[in-house]
Amino acid sequence: MLTFYFYPIVLLIILTLVKCRSTSNINNIIRFGNQLLRDNNYEDLIGERVGILSNPSGVFPDTLQHIVDNMYQYQQQEYINTNTNLWSLVAIFSPEHGFRGEKQAETGDPDVYIDETTGLPVYSAYSLTEIELSDIFIKQNITMLVVDMQDVGVRLYTFIWTMYDMMNATKIATETVTKSETETKSMKFLVLDRPNPIGGDLVEGPLIDMECCASGYGKVPITHIHGMTIGELGLFFYHRYLSNNTSTDSALFDLNLDLNMDLSTGDKSSKSSKSVAYSNYNTDGYENGGGYGYYIKRMDGYRRSDKWSDMMIHRGSSSSDSGRSRSSFTLPWVPPSPNIPTPTTALAYPSTCFLEATTVAEGRGTNTPFELIGAPFILDPNELAEYINFYCMQGQCSSGNTNTNGNNNDNGTEDDVCANCARATYFQPTFSKYNNTVVPGIQYLSPQQFNYELPNTGTYPYSRPFLAATYILRAFMQLSSPPSAFQWDGSWFGHPGVELIDSYAGTTVYRQMLNNFSYSPIDIYNYFKVDAVRFKETRQRYLLYA
């Protein structure tokens, strides 16, 4: 009888464990900040004159309509229905690559032009200074700045620094107006939050050395991979650097309260002079000592560990339209810039972006930039792939046995699947480095997309993009023929010599350690671990998602 009952119980336990494991990997339903703003009929914008910083990625994931086009149409329809507008969209601001996204790297829109679809002025926040932007805010009488664009989770990607400049310009404009007016006027800065496509758990690489290496690729000390959403980064910037009373120790106000509630008394008859928050859909308000306020329209359903492929959306009817069913779909990817065409590219980018600052081609001018990498001075792409694959598998194959080449399992057979991430190939760029030249190299696939798991541990040792970047750079340095062919050279992007790599890395030490072959890639990675630990501690209070 014991045997009779024992086996069903064991089977039930096994099935339960399998179910729990598979449930943890079920794709998550998510709603972006822009969806929540739209679905609440833009009530958070009532009474405001609005400017928006956006680009082609600023679309609603459920309809793929651009937020600017939707806001413009909403205003037109509102005026037809009521003969008035409760808020006004008055200006568009664009980052690198332009509002409509057709510009290549290191270029943006003209300083100002008129958008044909909406008739609104478009100002290049990428090329204008903070003073010039603040003057525009004042002249256009803008009272609220809205941000809706997709970041990629890497410090040197310029969108977050354009947002930083816009926040600083908002601070300047508020201070300027306050000095010239008897009544204090406060602007608002609202970020419509979006996922970090490479996940929010990863924090890796150097902090910026502000004495040598602050630039348009990094203006305050954050790590190469920061693991934050654009809304969380904005809060970090605001609280530590860009509010009118910055302090690393002052209180944060994370509120979901009625707009008219006084925080000290709970009385809804008066507004708090210290902090306010919109109550709808988790729009959190932060004010720190007066001046302009920072607001976040938080996502619904986002999990910190999610990568892009882990998330899904509802498409179909809204909650107010019961006539059609709702279906779940994979989260669509709209390229935030011309050379980040897919989520797979975004996963590879943290490991291959440093190649822009070298004589190695990073794949621009191909269909898979930042995945196809190579150089004419690589004689044997198979040797290059073997070097980089050693990083990916780190001596581990799927059976768990340690082996530097990953070919044999415990029984001496060759049926293991190893965690390779590179294959030898040739490509011919149509523009940028080595255009119209056949280039030997590799196709690099980030181990993150495969979730290689170290057997019997449940850990993922291969998801270390900064370590991968270090292995990749060292591979090209060691296999360069002649050795002098590999150079630190950012002249393709207007930064000759070592200027670009030091700006990208945020330090001169990374380049110097790579140049010294007595330091292994692991040594270099471990050297900068302390920076990652420090930033993890610093960022903790600004994280809005579990």
Side-chain angles (χ1 to χ4, degrees):
M1 294 298 291
L2 179 62
T3 303
F4 179 77
Y5 287 109
F6 177 73
Y7 287 111
I9 291 171
V10 171
L11 179 61
L12 179 62
I13 292 172
I14 292 172
L15 290 174
T16 302
L17 291 173
V18 169
K19 182 178 180 181
C20 290
R21 176 169 184 140
S22 62
T23 301
S24 67
N25 292 324
I26 291 175
N27 288 32
N28 199 31
I29 301 298
I30 186 174
R31 296 178 76 196
F32 285 16
N34 63 7
Q35 293 174 270
L36 302 176
L37 181 71
R38 175 203 62 193
D39 294 348
N40 203 35
N41 296 317
Y42 296 102
E43 284 190 5
D44 292 339
L45 309 186
I46 290 176
E48 308 291 352
R49 287 177 58 83
V50 178
I52 185 167
L53 171 64
S54 191
N55 71 348
S57 67
V59 302
F60 304 110
D62 54 350
T63 66
L64 297 183
Q65 185 183 26
H66 198 280
I67 186 172
V68 169
D69 297 332
N70 184 268
M71 293 171 80
Y72 178 74
Q73 292 171 9
Y74 183 91
Q75 279 197 288
Q76 297 292 101
Q77 189 61 47
E78 182 184 52
Y79 190 81
I80 291 172
N81 294 339
T82 66
N83 202 34
T84 187
N85 285 128
L86 299 179
W87 55 273
S88 300
L89 178 62
V90 297
I92 302 166
F93 297 86
S94 64
E96 184 182 8
H97 307 290
F99 172 55
R100 297 297 179 183
E102 73 278 12
K103 305 295 192 302
Q104 285 294 330
E106 303 288 323
T107 57
D109 284 330
D111 287 354
V112 61
Y113 74 97
I114 300 300
D115 177 54
E116 292 183 3
T117 302
T118 62
L120 292 170
V122 179
Y123 299 96
S124 176
Y126 177 68
S127 58
L128 294 169
T129 67
E130 289 109 317
I131 296 297
E132 290 170 329
L133 289 169
S134 68
D135 289 343
I136 293 167
F137 299 166
I138 293 170
K139 289 176 182 177
Q140 291 275 16
N141 193 24
I142 292 172
T143 59
M144 175 180 277
L145 274 303
V146 176
V147 176
D148 188 24
M149 57 184 179
Q150 183 63 54
D151 183 43
V152 299
V154 179
R155 179 187 62 214
L156 59 87
Y157 202 68
T158 61
F159 291 178
I160 59 174
W161 304 114
T162 297
M163 179 179 73
Y164 183 95
D165 290 343
M166 290 279 286
M167 293 176 72
N168 198 26
T170 303
K171 179 183 179 213
I172 293 169
T174 299
E175 292 170 345
T176 302
V177 171
T178 300
K179 289 177 183 178
S180 61
E181 300 283 347
T182 55
E183 180 182 351
T184 300
K185 296 187 177 181
S186 177
M187 294 178 65
K188 299 181 179 71
F189 200 96
L190 170 64
V191 177
L192 308 179
D193 214 4
R194 290 170 160 268
N196 183 326
I198 63 175
D201 289 333
L202 276 175
V203 176
E204 290 191 323
L207 288 165
I208 296 174
D209 182 344
M210 298 299 290
E211 293 185 4
C212 71
C213 301
S215 70
Y217 307 108
K219 301 191 176 190
V220 298
I222 65 174
T223 48
H224 172 59
I225 300 167
H226 50 70
M228 300 175 78
T229 69
I230 192 169
E232 290 172 334
L233 274 172
L235 177 57
F236 173 81
F237 294 156
Y238 175 77
H239 183 239
R240 298 185 72 87
Y241 303 101
L242 293 176
S243 73
N244 293 72
N245 183 23
T246 56
S247 170
T248 57
D249 299 317
S250 60
L252 280 176
F253 300 94
D254 183 356
L255 310 173
N256 288 294
L257 304 176
D258 188 282
L259 182 61
N260 294 316
M261 179 180 288
D262 185 280
L263 299 182
S264 59
T265 65
D267 182 3
K268 293 188 178 184
S269 63
S270 62
K271 296 182 181 179
S272 165
S273 60
K274 199 169 187 181
S275 297
V276 295
Y278 300 117
S279 60
N280 300 308
Y281 295 108
N282 293 327
T283 306
D284 299 329
Y286 303 86
E287 290 195 4
N288 188 12
Y292 77 101
Y294 179 79
Y295 299 82
I296 306 167
K297 183 69 79 174
R298 285 199 279 176
M299 292 174 282
D300 182 27
Y302 178 65
R303 299 176 301 199
R304 172 141 243 102
S305 60
D306 284 346
K307 298 187 296 297
W308 200 265
S309 59
D310 299 324
M311 294 175 279
M312 299 189 75
I313 57 162
H314 282 314
R315 301 185 75 176
S317 66
S318 66
S319 58
S320 61
D321 180 6
S322 59
R324 296 169 56 199
S325 62
R326 298 185 63 137
S327 301
S328 299
F329 291 86
T330 302
L331 187 63
W333 177 264
V334 176
S337 58
N339 289 292
I340 308 288
T342 69
T344 303
T345 317
L347 291 175
Y349 181 74
S351 301
T352 57
C353 57
F354 291 128
L355 296 176
E356 291 185 324
T358 74
T359 49
V360 177
E362 71 281 359
R364 291 178 187 274
T366 74
N367 291 330
T368 51
F370 298 105
E371 296 179 64
L372 288 177
I373 56 177
F377 50 77
I378 295 298
L379 301 183
D380 184 358
N382 289 290
E383 187 178 11
L384 180 68
E386 183 178 350
Y387 188 109
I388 294 170
N389 280 329
F390 177 75
Y391 149 72
C392 294
M393 59 194 179
Q394 286 291 288
Q396 291 287 345
C397 291
S398 59
S399 67
N401 56 291
T402 302
N403 193 311
T404 56
N405 59 26
N407 288 330
N408 297 324
N409 66 12
D410 294 332
N411 299 320
T413 60
E414 297 185 359
D415 55 5
D416 284 346
V417 177
C418 293
N420 290 344
C421 59
R423 70 173 185 91
T425 190
Y426 295 83
F427 57 95
Q428 184 170 322
T430 58
F431 66 90
S432 193
K433 297 177 187 174
Y434 311 120
N435 61 303
N436 299 320
T437 300
V438 176
V439 177
I442 63 164
Q443 180 185 11
Y444 175 73
L445 299 174
S446 169
Q448 276 187 277
Q449 67 181 293
F450 305 118
N451 279 351
Y452 289 132
E453 183 174 324
L454 192 62
N456 306 318
T457 68
T459 61
Y460 298 85
Y462 312 107
S463 298
R464 294 181 287 184
F466 180 65
L467 177 59
T470 308
Y471 264 97
I472 288 168
L473 286 166
R474 182 57 66 77
F476 280 103
M477 297 173 80
Q478 288 193 323
L479 300 178
S480 171
S481 181
S484 61
F486 178 92
Q487 296 288 326
W488 302 111
D489 182 8
S491 59
W492 279 273
F493 301 94
H495 304 278
V498 301
E499 177 185 340
L500 190 61
I501 184 59
D502 292 347
S503 295
Y504 274 13
T507 175
T508 61
V509 175
Y510 186 55
R511 169 178 53 83
Q512 292 164 355
M513 293 185 77
L514 279 163
N515 286 341
N516 186 342
F517 281 31
S518 66
Y519 294 110
S520 71
I522 291 288
D523 292 335
I524 299 170
Y525 177 81
N526 288 336
Y527 178 85
F528 289 107
K529 266 189 175 179
V530 63
D531 282 10
V533 170
R534 285 173 56 199
F535 186 69
K536 273 188 175 181
E537 294 173 352
T538 301
R539 74 170 193 152
Q540 186 61 39
R541 67 189 309 193
Y542 307 102
L543 303 183
L544 303 175
Y545 309 93

